[in-house]
Amino acid sequence: MIPTVTVVMPAYNSSEYLRESIESVLAQTFKNFELLVIDDGSIDNTPQVVRSYIKQDSRVKLISQTNQGVSATRNRGISLAKSEYIAFIDADDTWFPEKLNSHIESFKRDKNLGVSFARVTFLNAKGKLSGIATARLTKLKPQHFLYENPTITVSNLVVKREVFESIGNFDTSMNYAEDLDFLLRVITSNKWKIEGFNKILMAYRTNTSGLSSNLYRMEEGWEILAAKANSYAPDLINKHYWYARSIHLRYLARRALRLRLPCKVSVDFMTRGLMSNWQIIFREPRRTILTMLAVYGKDLIKFKI
């Protein structure tokens, strides 16, 4: 029997959290799925962990390849899928039991739905719940995907396979924002809806360690996203680029604070965000002013001004 859903799980040296992620998929109340764990050239015991589950459950399959990166790995899973829907989960995230069933029901209700997502809760490094995402869920427009990522993570997505056949897969040339690039291509095509629903269905493990260079690479990735979008949605970029850039730089400033990076990093991102479009203070006063207080207040305390 052909599964209704193919679950694609990229795995690279993922043994630390892999069992928890696999078990969260196998615990789904919706049973007609296959789980493709694609080992992207791991040098730890990731393959052995997966094989232990293959012995227990025929729905689990292991595909091995040389290291190619997460987008190529997800694309490999898409190419192997024969199911009507494709879901993604990273090897350190977990799903709640009603995840797949809730998404399949949402597709049944709306035949124009191409990408379904839900709300997300965050896990810290110790596996403790650390907050709930408050992203926009409905009435999504292209600019919302340029501003921020309403879906939060690829692990939140369930996609109708026809969407990939129509729009294409993840761009393997992009190291950051490849999920936003895909979502932007979907929503600007005017063929499919992207919509979320107000139910928490997964836990996203956030990276609590990092370097300032990683954030600057994220900024570079966003600029690549905007440049690419300009080729197929120039009116969108012309109208929304500077404000969207301001929001993204504010996000990077907040992330620098959470990572406890040097003050100059968050100050740099926040200052350039305000220079990009100072109206962000009036359009989103609460988040912007709170971020400014945290960024510049920390800088003032440091220098005792």
Side-chain angles (χ1 to χ4, degrees), residues 25-42:
V25 176
L26 298 182
Q28 293 298 299
T29 58
F30 184 89
K31 302 298 183 183
N32 188 23
F33 65 85
E34 63 177 346
L35 170 59
L36 306 183
V37 183
I38 305 179
D39 174 31
D40 191 31
S42 297

Side-chain angles (χ1 to χ4, degrees), residues 47-161:
Q48 289 79 6
V49 171
V50 180
R51 290 190 185 101
S52 71
Y53 286 96
I54 292 174
K55 295 177 182 178
Q56 303 171 31
D57 196 314
S58 62
R59 294 174 298 178
V60 182
K61 299 175 177 64
L62 173 65
I63 296 93
S64 298
Q65 63 184 31
T66 58
N67 183 256
Q68 298 176 42
V70 69
S71 290
T73 303
R74 292 188 183 115
N75 288 348
R76 178 86 181 275
I78 294 166
S79 71
L80 295 170
K82 300 294 188 291
S83 56
E84 186 176 359
Y85 304 102
I86 302 173
F88 301 91
I89 180 170
D90 289 342
D92 57 353
D93 295 331
T94 57
W95 285 350
F96 297 166
E98 288 294 322
K99 162 79 177 178
L100 288 180
N101 187 67
S102 297
H103 285 284
I104 296 304
E105 289 300 316
S106 69
F107 281 108
K108 289 179 180 178
R109 288 192 299 268
D110 189 346
K111 300 301 182 184
N112 294 318
L113 184 62
V115 181
S116 176
F117 67 99
R119 297 189 70 190
V120 172
T121 187
F122 296 102
L123 293 176
N124 62 24
K126 296 181 180 179
K128 302 295 184 181
L129 297 180
S130 61
I132 298 172
T134 57
R136 179 187 293 266
L137 298 170
T138 59
K139 298 181 180 179
L140 291 162
K141 298 179 180 179
Q143 61 265 30
H144 296 134
F145 293 90
L146 193 64
Y147 294 164
E148 297 180 280
N149 186 353
T151 69
I152 309 298
T153 170
V154 180
S155 296
N156 196 18
L157 304 182
V158 180
V159 184
K160 193 175 288 186
R161 185 159 62 95

Side-chain angles (χ1 to χ4, degrees), residues 119-252:
R119 297 189 70 190
V120 172
T121 187
F122 296 102
L123 293 176
N124 62 24
K126 296 181 180 179
K128 302 295 184 181
L129 297 180
S130 61
I132 298 172
T134 57
R136 179 187 293 266
L137 298 170
T138 59
K139 298 181 180 179
L140 291 162
K141 298 179 180 179
Q143 61 265 30
H144 296 134
F145 293 90
L146 193 64
Y147 294 164
E148 297 180 280
N149 186 353
T151 69
I152 309 298
T153 170
V154 180
S155 296
N156 196 18
L157 304 182
V158 180
V159 184
K160 193 175 288 186
R161 185 159 62 95
E162 294 174 57
V163 174
F164 289 110
E165 294 170 351
S166 174
I167 303 300
N169 295 351
F170 296 102
D171 187 340
T172 57
S173 71
M174 298 179 69
N175 294 320
Y176 292 93
E178 68 279 356
D179 52 340
L180 273 175
D181 168 66
F182 168 71
L183 294 167
L184 259 178
R185 282 186 280 128
V186 172
I187 201 164
T188 56
S189 72
N190 295 317
K191 296 179 180 179
W192 307 96
K193 287 173 60 178
I194 301 174
E195 192 160 276
F197 48 93
N198 191 20
K199 185 185 290 187
I200 300 170
L201 293 176
M202 66 154 295
Y204 172 46
R205 197 178 302 273
T206 56
N207 181 10
T208 55
S209 63
L211 301 172
S212 59
S213 58
N214 293 336
L215 297 188
Y216 286 104
R217 282 195 290 269
M218 289 178 67
E219 180 187 359
E220 180 182 359
W222 186 87
E223 293 290 353
I224 292 171
L225 165 74
K228 184 177 178 183
N230 190 52
S231 66
Y232 58 81
D235 291 342
L236 172 71
I237 299 302
N238 183 57
K239 184 175 181 179
H240 295 282
Y241 171 80
W242 290 106
Y243 185 64
R245 182 175 183 267
S246 178
I247 290 177
H248 186 67
L249 289 169
R250 183 189 64 189
Y251 160 75
L252 293 175

